[in-house]
């Protein structure tokens, strides 16, 4: 097994699925921010 794979496996085993839940919550928050800004990728330049 590669060293990086072992490290990743150890982290998943130690922390369970908490990291995935935190990531999902963060992406949902950014999605709300994006929608509040008008769902536009390119925003006008502010002075």
């Amino acid at each position: 097994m590669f060293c990086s794979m072992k490290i990743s496996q150890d982290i998943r085993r130690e922390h369970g699925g908490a990291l995935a839940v935190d990531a999902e919550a963060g992406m949902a928050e950014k999605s709300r921010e994006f929608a509040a800004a008008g769902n536009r990728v390119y925003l006008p330049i502010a002075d």
Side-chain angles (χ1 to χ4, degrees):
M1 180 182 301
F2 294 109
C3 182
S4 63
M5 294 171 70
K6 173 133 177 51
I7 293 168
S8 297
Q9 182 180 22
D10 292 345
I11 290 170
R12 274 191 225 98
R13 189 178 304 126
E14 183 176 334
H15 296 284
L19 295 177
V21 171
D22 291 343
E24 290 287 330
M27 287 188 281
E29 175 62 27
K30 283 297 179 186
S31 179
R32 287 189 291 275
E33 289 176 17
F34 182 71
N39 292 325
R40 293 178 41 198
V41 175
Y42 298 102
L43 300 176
I45 296 174
D47 290 329

